[in-house]
Amino acid sequence: MSTDTRTITVGIDGSRSSLDAADWAAREAQRRRLPLRLLHAGTEPAVSGGVFDIDDIDVPAGRTRAALDRAAIELSYAHPALDILARRTATPAVPALLAAAVEAETLVLGSRGRTGSAGFPVGSVALGVAARADRPVVLVRAGELPEDERVPVVDGSPPSTAPYLPVVLGLDPDASADDLIGYAFDTAAVRSAPLHVVHPWTLPTSTLRPWRHRFPGTAVREHRVDGDPGPRLLEASARAGLLVVGRRTGRGPGRAARSLIRHAGCPVAVVPHD
Protein backbone atom coordinates (compact mmCIF):
# COMPACT_ATOMS: atom_id res chain seq x y z
CA MET A 1 0.00 0.00 0.00
CA SER A 2 1.16 3.52 -0.72
CA THR A 3 2.29 5.57 2.28
CA ASP A 4 2.65 8.94 0.59
CA THR A 5 -1.00 9.90 1.19
CA ARG A 6 -1.83 9.38 4.82
CA THR A 7 -5.22 10.58 5.99
CA ILE A 8 -8.67 9.08 6.35
CA THR A 9 -11.08 11.59 4.81
CA VAL A 10 -14.87 11.59 5.21
CA GLY A 11 -17.49 13.69 3.46
CA ILE A 12 -19.87 15.54 5.83
CA ASP A 13 -23.17 17.00 4.63
CA GLY A 14 -25.12 17.17 7.90
CA SER A 15 -27.16 14.01 7.24
CA ARG A 16 -27.37 11.19 9.74
CA SER A 17 -25.68 8.87 7.26
CA SER A 18 -22.66 11.16 6.88
CA LEU A 19 -22.27 11.41 10.66
CA ASP A 20 -22.37 7.63 10.98
CA ALA A 21 -19.81 7.45 8.18
CA ALA A 22 -17.65 9.94 10.09
CA ASP A 23 -17.80 7.72 13.18
CA TRP A 24 -16.71 4.74 11.07
CA ALA A 25 -13.92 6.84 9.53
CA ALA A 26 -12.72 7.89 12.99
CA ARG A 27 -12.44 4.26 14.05
CA GLU A 28 -10.57 3.44 10.85
CA ALA A 29 -8.18 6.35 11.39
CA GLN A 30 -7.57 5.18 14.94
CA ARG A 31 -6.93 1.60 13.78
CA ARG A 32 -4.41 2.84 11.22
CA ARG A 33 -2.99 5.60 13.44
CA LEU A 34 -3.72 8.23 10.81
CA PRO A 35 -5.22 11.75 10.97
CA LEU A 36 -8.94 12.16 10.27
CA ARG A 37 -10.11 14.86 7.86
CA LEU A 38 -13.76 15.97 7.82
CA LEU A 39 -14.78 17.71 4.59
CA HIS A 40 -17.96 19.60 3.74
CA ALA A 41 -18.17 20.62 0.09
CA GLY A 42 -20.59 22.65 -2.00
CA THR A 43 -22.58 25.82 -1.57
CA GLU A 44 -25.26 24.51 0.81
CA PRO A 45 -24.93 24.77 4.60
CA ALA A 46 -23.67 21.66 6.37
CA VAL A 47 -26.84 21.61 8.47
CA SER A 48 -30.44 22.43 7.55
CA GLY A 49 -31.19 26.01 8.57
CA GLY A 50 -27.57 26.90 9.17
CA VAL A 51 -26.21 30.08 7.62
CA PHE A 52 -22.52 30.80 7.28
CA ASP A 53 -20.00 31.89 4.71
CA ILE A 54 -18.40 28.95 2.89
CA ASP A 55 -14.82 29.27 1.82
CA ASP A 56 -11.60 27.30 1.77
CA ILE A 57 -10.69 27.81 5.41
CA ASP A 58 -10.06 25.46 8.31
CA VAL A 59 -12.94 25.41 10.79
CA PRO A 60 -11.99 26.71 14.27
CA ALA A 61 -12.50 23.94 16.83
CA GLY A 62 -14.69 26.08 19.09
CA ARG A 63 -17.47 26.87 16.60
CA THR A 64 -20.54 24.68 16.97
CA ARG A 65 -23.17 26.28 14.74
CA ALA A 66 -22.77 23.80 11.86
CA ALA A 67 -22.96 20.02 11.66
CA LEU A 68 -19.35 19.94 10.51
CA ASP A 69 -18.18 21.69 13.68
CA ARG A 70 -20.35 19.55 15.93
CA ALA A 71 -19.09 16.38 14.27
CA ALA A 72 -15.48 17.43 14.86
CA ILE A 73 -16.17 18.15 18.54
CA GLU A 74 -18.15 14.96 19.15
CA LEU A 75 -15.48 12.85 17.48
CA SER A 76 -12.72 14.57 19.44
CA TYR A 77 -14.49 13.63 22.67
CA ALA A 78 -15.02 10.03 21.50
CA HIS A 79 -11.43 9.71 20.18
CA PRO A 80 -9.30 12.14 22.22
CA ALA A 81 -6.01 10.88 20.80
CA LEU A 82 -7.12 11.33 17.19
CA ASP A 83 -5.79 14.22 15.07
CA ILE A 84 -8.95 15.76 13.53
CA LEU A 85 -9.16 18.54 10.95
CA ALA A 86 -12.54 19.91 9.80
CA ARG A 87 -12.66 21.83 6.55
CA ARG A 88 -15.23 23.53 4.30
CA THR A 89 -14.90 24.29 0.62
CA ALA A 90 -17.20 25.97 -1.90
CA THR A 91 -16.12 23.49 -4.56
CA PRO A 92 -19.05 21.27 -5.63
CA ALA A 93 -19.27 17.95 -3.85
CA VAL A 94 -18.09 15.49 -6.51
CA PRO A 95 -14.94 17.35 -7.68
CA ALA A 96 -14.09 18.32 -4.09
CA LEU A 97 -14.36 14.73 -2.88
CA LEU A 98 -12.42 13.40 -5.86
CA ALA A 99 -9.63 15.91 -5.14
CA ALA A 100 -9.67 14.94 -1.46
CA ALA A 101 -9.39 11.27 -2.37
CA VAL A 102 -6.08 11.92 -4.14
CA GLU A 103 -4.61 13.08 -0.83
CA ALA A 104 -6.22 10.34 1.29
CA GLU A 105 -5.41 6.77 2.20
CA THR A 106 -9.16 6.10 2.14
CA LEU A 107 -12.22 8.24 1.40
CA VAL A 108 -15.37 7.45 3.42
CA LEU A 109 -18.93 8.39 2.39
CA GLY A 110 -22.40 7.72 3.77
CA SER A 111 -25.61 6.40 2.21
CA ARG A 112 -29.30 6.60 2.99
CA GLY A 113 -29.91 3.90 5.56
CA ARG A 114 -31.13 0.38 6.19
CA THR A 115 -34.87 0.74 5.72
CA GLY A 116 -37.03 1.00 2.62
CA SER A 117 -34.86 1.54 -0.46
CA ALA A 118 -31.64 1.55 1.53
CA GLY A 119 -28.49 1.84 -0.52
CA PHE A 120 -26.79 4.05 -3.06
CA PRO A 121 -29.12 5.27 -5.82
CA VAL A 122 -27.52 5.37 -9.27
CA GLY A 123 -26.26 8.87 -9.94
CA SER A 124 -25.77 9.77 -6.28
CA VAL A 125 -22.70 11.65 -5.13
CA ALA A 126 -21.47 8.58 -3.26
CA LEU A 127 -21.67 6.23 -6.21
CA GLY A 128 -20.33 8.88 -8.59
CA VAL A 129 -17.27 9.46 -6.43
CA ALA A 130 -16.71 5.73 -5.90
CA ALA A 131 -16.76 5.29 -9.67
CA ARG A 132 -13.99 7.82 -10.31
CA ALA A 133 -11.79 8.18 -7.23
CA ASP A 134 -8.10 7.31 -7.47
CA ARG A 135 -8.10 5.78 -3.98
CA PRO A 136 -10.30 3.28 -2.11
CA VAL A 137 -13.76 4.60 -1.23
CA VAL A 138 -15.67 3.05 1.68
CA LEU A 139 -19.46 3.43 1.56
CA VAL A 140 -21.15 3.27 4.97
CA ARG A 141 -24.89 2.98 5.55
CA ALA A 142 -26.74 5.11 8.05
CA GLY A 143 -27.18 3.32 11.34
CA GLU A 144 -23.81 1.54 11.22
CA LEU A 145 -22.62 1.04 14.81
CA PRO A 146 -19.17 0.20 16.22
CA GLU A 147 -20.39 -3.21 17.40
CA ASP A 148 -21.60 -4.08 13.89
CA GLU A 149 -18.03 -4.72 12.76
CA ARG A 150 -17.27 -7.10 15.64
CA VAL A 151 -18.31 -10.60 16.66
CA PRO A 152 -21.50 -10.42 18.76
CA VAL A 153 -20.88 -10.44 22.50
CA VAL A 154 -22.65 -13.18 24.48
CA ASP A 155 -20.87 -13.12 27.84
CA GLY A 156 -21.54 -9.53 28.89
CA SER A 157 -18.05 -8.28 28.06
CA PRO A 158 -17.68 -4.85 26.40
CA PRO A 159 -18.41 -4.98 22.63
CA SER A 160 -15.19 -3.04 21.95
CA THR A 161 -13.15 -6.02 23.19
CA ALA A 162 -14.76 -8.54 20.83
CA PRO A 163 -12.82 -9.78 17.79
CA TYR A 164 -13.49 -8.16 14.45
CA LEU A 165 -15.75 -9.88 11.95
CA PRO A 166 -14.09 -11.12 8.74
CA VAL A 167 -13.10 -8.89 5.85
CA VAL A 168 -14.64 -10.32 2.67
CA LEU A 169 -12.90 -9.87 -0.68
CA GLY A 170 -14.69 -10.42 -3.97
CA LEU A 171 -12.09 -11.36 -6.56
CA ASP A 172 -12.52 -11.94 -10.28
CA PRO A 173 -10.15 -14.00 -12.46
CA ASP A 174 -7.88 -10.96 -13.00
CA ALA A 175 -4.71 -12.02 -11.19
CA SER A 176 -3.05 -8.61 -11.69
CA ALA A 177 -5.28 -6.72 -9.21
CA ASP A 178 -2.52 -6.22 -6.64
CA ASP A 179 -3.97 -2.95 -5.30
CA LEU A 180 -7.29 -4.67 -4.60
CA ILE A 181 -5.81 -7.78 -2.98
CA GLY A 182 -3.27 -5.73 -1.02
CA TYR A 183 -5.97 -3.45 0.37
CA ALA A 184 -8.01 -6.43 1.57
CA PHE A 185 -5.05 -8.16 3.22
CA ASP A 186 -3.85 -4.92 4.81
CA THR A 187 -7.31 -4.10 6.16
CA ALA A 188 -7.71 -7.57 7.65
CA ALA A 189 -4.25 -7.35 9.22
CA VAL A 190 -4.97 -3.94 10.79
CA ARG A 191 -8.05 -5.42 12.45
CA SER A 192 -6.46 -8.80 13.27
CA ALA A 193 -9.48 -10.18 11.41
CA PRO A 194 -9.73 -13.22 9.13
CA LEU A 195 -9.94 -12.65 5.39
CA HIS A 196 -12.54 -14.54 3.36
CA VAL A 197 -11.90 -14.51 -0.38
CA VAL A 198 -14.79 -15.32 -2.73
CA HIS A 199 -13.67 -16.06 -6.28
CA PRO A 200 -14.50 -18.21 -9.31
CA TRP A 201 -13.02 -21.64 -9.87
CA THR A 202 -10.97 -20.25 -12.75
CA LEU A 203 -8.80 -18.05 -10.53
CA PRO A 204 -5.22 -19.42 -10.52
CA THR A 205 -4.36 -21.07 -7.22
CA SER A 206 -1.08 -19.11 -7.08
CA THR A 207 -2.81 -15.69 -7.00
CA LEU A 208 -3.01 -15.40 -3.21
CA ARG A 209 0.22 -17.23 -2.39
CA PRO A 210 2.55 -14.19 -2.22
CA TRP A 211 0.00 -12.30 -0.09
CA ARG A 212 -0.28 -15.16 2.37
CA HIS A 213 3.51 -15.01 2.77
CA ARG A 214 3.45 -11.22 3.18
CA PHE A 215 0.72 -11.40 5.83
CA PRO A 216 1.47 -14.63 7.69
CA GLY A 217 -0.64 -13.60 10.70
CA THR A 218 -3.84 -13.26 8.66
CA ALA A 219 -6.09 -16.31 8.50
CA VAL A 220 -7.34 -16.72 4.94
CA ARG A 221 -10.32 -18.78 3.84
CA GLU A 222 -11.06 -19.21 0.14
CA HIS A 223 -14.57 -19.78 -1.19
CA ARG A 224 -14.56 -20.98 -4.80
CA VAL A 225 -17.85 -20.54 -6.61
CA ASP A 226 -19.13 -21.80 -9.93
CA GLY A 227 -20.84 -18.96 -11.79
CA ASP A 228 -21.87 -15.57 -10.47
CA PRO A 229 -20.16 -14.89 -7.09
CA GLY A 230 -22.61 -12.06 -6.28
CA PRO A 231 -25.09 -14.10 -4.22
CA ARG A 232 -22.26 -15.68 -2.21
CA LEU A 233 -20.75 -12.24 -1.55
CA LEU A 234 -24.08 -10.85 -0.40
CA GLU A 235 -24.52 -13.81 1.92
CA ALA A 236 -21.00 -13.36 3.30
CA SER A 237 -21.51 -9.61 3.79
CA ALA A 238 -24.24 -10.30 6.36
CA ARG A 239 -21.55 -11.76 8.63
CA ALA A 240 -18.66 -9.43 7.70
CA GLY A 241 -17.15 -6.21 8.98
CA LEU A 242 -16.24 -4.97 5.50
CA LEU A 243 -16.82 -6.11 1.93
CA VAL A 244 -14.04 -5.26 -0.53
CA VAL A 245 -14.75 -5.13 -4.27
CA GLY A 246 -12.71 -3.80 -7.16
CA ARG A 247 -13.23 -1.68 -10.23
CA ARG A 248 -11.00 -1.10 -13.21
CA THR A 249 -9.15 2.24 -13.17
CA GLY A 250 -10.98 4.62 -15.48
CA ARG A 251 -14.23 2.70 -15.22
CA GLY A 252 -17.14 2.78 -12.80
CA PRO A 253 -18.22 -0.25 -10.79
CA GLY A 254 -19.82 -2.91 -12.98
CA ARG A 255 -23.41 -4.05 -12.62
CA ALA A 256 -22.50 -6.77 -10.10
CA ALA A 257 -20.51 -4.33 -7.96
CA ARG A 258 -23.34 -1.79 -8.01
CA SER A 259 -25.76 -4.45 -6.82
CA LEU A 260 -23.41 -5.35 -3.98
CA ILE A 261 -23.09 -1.69 -3.02
CA ARG A 262 -26.87 -1.36 -2.82
CA HIS A 263 -27.60 -4.55 -0.91
CA ALA A 264 -24.53 -5.56 1.12
CA GLY A 265 -25.07 -6.07 4.83
CA CYS A 266 -21.89 -4.19 5.83
CA PRO A 267 -19.77 -1.23 4.63
CA VAL A 268 -18.36 -1.68 1.13
CA ALA A 269 -14.87 -0.65 0.03
CA VAL A 270 -14.55 0.05 -3.72
CA VAL A 271 -10.89 -0.22 -4.71
CA PRO A 272 -9.55 0.92 -8.11
CA HIS A 273 -7.02 -1.34 -9.76
CA ASP A 274 -5.31 -1.78 -13.14
Side-chain angles (χ1 to χ4, degrees), residues 41-228:
T43 57
E44 294 298 322
V47 62
S48 178
V51 179
F52 52 82
D53 294 329
I54 299 176
D55 46 18
D56 288 321
I57 59 171
D58 294 344
V59 179
R63 289 172 56 185
T64 60
R65 59 179 174 169
L68 180 66
D69 308 285
R70 290 199 301 273
I73 291 171
E74 290 173 4
L75 290 171
S76 67
Y77 278 118
H79 306 276
L82 196 58
D83 181 9
I84 300 174
L85 172 66
R87 189 174 181 85
R88 293 194 302 268
T89 177
T91 304
V94 170
L97 291 166
L98 289 173
V102 174
E103 303 173 355
E105 182 75 11
T106 301
L107 179 67
V108 183
L109 300 172
S111 76
R112 291 192 297 186
R114 289 176 165 165
T115 59
S117 57
F120 295 89
V122 175
S124 70
V125 169
L127 190 55
V129 173
R132 296 164 56 192
D134 292 332
R135 305 290 296 173
V137 177
V138 175
L139 306 173
V140 180
R141 278 180 169 79
E144 188 73 20
L145 299 173
E147 54 265 34
D148 292 336
E149 58 191 8
R150 294 180 181 266
V151 175
V153 172
V154 295
D155 59 359
S157 59
S160 60
T161 64
Y164 283 99
L165 288 167
V167 173
V168 175
L169 168 62
L171 200 58
D172 63 25
D174 180 8
S176 66
D178 285 348
D179 289 341
L180 172 62
I181 300 172
Y183 178 88
F185 268 88
D186 183 62
T187 299
V190 165
R191 300 171 178 224
S192 297
L195 176 63
H196 293 183
V197 184
V198 179
H199 61 77
W201 283 98
T202 53
L203 186 79
T205 57
S206 61
T207 299
L208 298 179
R209 188 176 303 150
W211 298 99
R212 288 176 181 268
H213 288 304
R214 191 176 301 181
F215 294 89
T218 298
V220 181
R221 178 182 298 178
E222 293 187 56
H223 303 271
R224 293 179 176 268
V225 296
D226 185 11
D228 180 13

Side-chain angles (χ1 to χ4, degrees), residues 126-133 247-248 250-253 270:
L127 190 55
V129 173
R132 296 164 56 192
R247 68 165 180 84
R248 289 279 193 172
R251 302 181 188 175
V270 181

